[in-house]
Amino acid sequence: MKQVSLTTAVFVVAAILLAAHSFYNEYAALPDGPRWFRTVFYGLGPWLCAFAFAGAKMCFQILLRKEKAGFRNTFAWVTGVVLALMLFTKIIS
């Protein structure tokens, strides 16, 4: 069984906690259908942003320098940055 790295586990827990906070606070007035839909996409937001950014970076790397390495590091870095920004905005608001 493949083990999950500590940073990935922390990112998953942080995304789940941020989504749960939004479910109970920001989306509380919505009916259950749209409430769950928004919560799921809010929780998946950092992962989708990281996938798009890392994918674009890899495309440009392959086109310009013919390198095919670095997707995982970029993905983890962007996920961490997006989660940090989401947490920062939750704290400020």
Side-chain angles (χ1 to χ4, degrees):
M1 187 166 119
K2 188 175 180 187
Q3 293 184 354
V4 177
S5 70
L6 181 62
T7 56
T8 304
V10 169
F11 291 163
V12 168
V13 169
I16 290 171
L17 290 175
L18 285 168
H21 181 269
S22 293
F23 181 79
Y24 288 112
N25 293 316
E26 295 173 16
Y27 306 139
L30 295 174
D32 280 340
R35 187 177 179 189
W36 279 105
F37 184 74
R38 287 186 183 198
T39 302
V40 167
F41 275 104
Y42 187 81
L44 290 175
W47 308 102
L48 295 173
C49 290
F51 186 75
F53 185 84
K57 180 186 175 254
M58 287 307 300
C59 288
F60 282 113
Q61 266 189 333
I62 291 170
L63 286 173
L64 297 176
R65 292 186 272 169
K66 307 293 187 226
E67 293 179 12
K68 296 181 181 177
F71 181 82
R72 295 174 86 192
N73 291 335
T74 304
F75 187 82
W77 183 82
V78 173
T79 304
V81 169
V82 172
L83 280 171
L85 289 172
M86 290 172 71
L87 183 64
F88 182 70
T89 57
K90 287 276 186 198
I91 292 170
I92 286 180
S93 67

